[in-house]
Amino acid sequence: MSKTVERLRGMYDVTPDQAWVWQKLETTVTQILQQYGYQEIRFPILEKTALFHSAIGEVTDVVEKEMFTFDSRKGESISMRPEGTASTVRMVLQNGLIFNDPQKLYYNGPMFRHEKPQRGRNRQFSQVGAEVFGFEGPDVDAELLLMTCQMWQQLGLKNVRLELNTLGTPACRENYRQVLIAHFEQHLDVLDEEAKKRLHSNPLRILDSKNPAMRPVIESAPVISDHLNAEAETHFQGLCDILDACGLDYQINRKLVRGLDYYSHNVFEWITDDLGAQGTICAGGRYDRLVEMQGGKPTPATGFAMGLDRLVELILEHQLWQAEATADVYLVRDKAVPVPAVLALTEQLRQAIPGLRMTVSMGQASFKSQFKKADKSGAEFAIIIGLEEHEQQMFSVKALHDRNMAQQQLSYPALVSFLQQHLT
Ligand code: ATP
Ligand code: MG
């Protein structure tokens, strides 16, 4: 016997006992996005590596060490998308979508990062992202946060908290950068290699370090709020005022910076404590400079990306949802009844009742084993076709949950109205 080839490290399979959670999660979240006026976009999984270098930034975890990059047959470097914002910006520019036209867009799909696999950190993972172009905010930022909060409510998540910060305008960021470099330069002995490498190229990233040894020097670092100009203050205060008025709770975390280079003004994370270390389930903020940096007209932009893997884990681990039945109706038949007669009936029933989920017992199973499967499917009713029913053109219907409902024999039209009446 040959050995089964196993899947790649950091990748996973979604088995049927989990797929229903993915389906329901994706449906719930994308429906809410549509309710808020967001339209779906889809873009390729493969892009030119240059796109991510220029849009995400050279000195970032993602670009420096997490991308799956290889050469095309023509020798051009291409990469599997590690996130969606770079591609969204490329796409709206290439398709002229934001030419004098604000856009509220969303995407849903797999992303790829070559990270050390651990709980909540996979090499292929799924994100739903929202990206808004053409609004300066903070109204649209506030609506974005209210919408995500609505998502947690509809998904039944508790214990999620919102952390907010502002990175200010490019001008205050530059000022803050210098102050940060000066601070870290006084503590070179405690900086790890990565921090030293980033000290001059991207010192804000040091604040994002997860190295516990550096926690004290990060704690004592100057905070951006002391270096905001009036424009940055007004924008951030404007957002906080709307959230306060709408009753959305948040915590200001002055050390919150986003891993990617293109953010400005407000940045945020939704965090749960129910998932251990990888507790951020949604993160985003404003990236007003990115469109221009990518060759477009200056266009304000804001958005977020939500990690679906972590949400699925949360829902399954805390049993937030009950598995639903996989069928409405299970058709049990005597093996002596001719197959074409059974299939003709089920095809007719499917047309008569759109959306009907009906499993037909295949093969030569006994009545007993067919009923066992019917119970397991969670179906509301079994339709039984024995030889007698077949000869009389009748159908027996047995309720599988409601013990008070007597088994009944129905003609075809009566069966259709019975199912229409009893199945929602
Ligand atoms: P972290 O600091 O946890 O590495 P990040 O800053 O790299 O996060 P983003 O690029 O902002 O994450 O991605 C947004 C969301 O996507 C994260 O909050 C998380 O929920 C999810 N996510 C990111 N990387 C992974 C991964 N490797 N596996 C699973 N989910 C991920
Ligand atoms: Mg990361």
mmCIF file of all heavy atoms in Angstrom, residues 24 97 342:
data_model
loop_
_atom_site.group_PDB
_atom_site.id
_atom_site.type_symbol
_atom_site.label_atom_id
_atom_site.label_comp_id
_atom_site.label_asym_id
_atom_site.label_seq_id
_atom_site.Cartn_x
_atom_site.Cartn_y
_atom_site.Cartn_z
ATOM 1 N N LYS A 24 -22.359 29.592 7.451
ATOM 2 C CA LYS A 24 -23.246 30.504 8.180
ATOM 3 C C LYS A 24 -22.519 31.805 8.528
ATOM 4 O O LYS A 24 -23.089 32.893 8.440
ATOM 5 C CB LYS A 24 -23.729 29.790 9.459
ATOM 6 C CG LYS A 24 -24.796 30.537 10.205
ATOM 7 C CD LYS A 24 -25.399 29.665 11.285
ATOM 8 C CE LYS A 24 -26.063 30.531 12.331
ATOM 9 N NZ LYS A 24 -26.720 29.731 13.374
ATOM 10 N N LEU A 97 -12.562 52.529 -10.908
ATOM 11 C CA LEU A 97 -13.748 52.513 -10.054
ATOM 12 C C LEU A 97 -13.887 53.743 -9.167
ATOM 13 O O LEU A 97 -14.984 54.067 -8.726
ATOM 14 C CB LEU A 97 -13.743 51.259 -9.147
ATOM 15 C CG LEU A 97 -13.890 49.901 -9.814
ATOM 16 C CD1 LEU A 97 -14.046 48.812 -8.765
ATOM 17 C CD2 LEU A 97 -15.102 49.898 -10.742
ATOM 18 N N VAL A 342 -38.701 5.901 -8.182
ATOM 19 C CA VAL A 342 -38.314 6.714 -7.013
ATOM 20 C C VAL A 342 -37.696 8.028 -7.475
ATOM 21 O O VAL A 342 -38.052 9.110 -6.998
ATOM 22 C CB VAL A 342 -37.308 5.933 -6.131
ATOM 23 C CG1 VAL A 342 -36.784 6.804 -5.010
ATOM 24 C CG2 VAL A 342 -37.945 4.661 -5.593
#
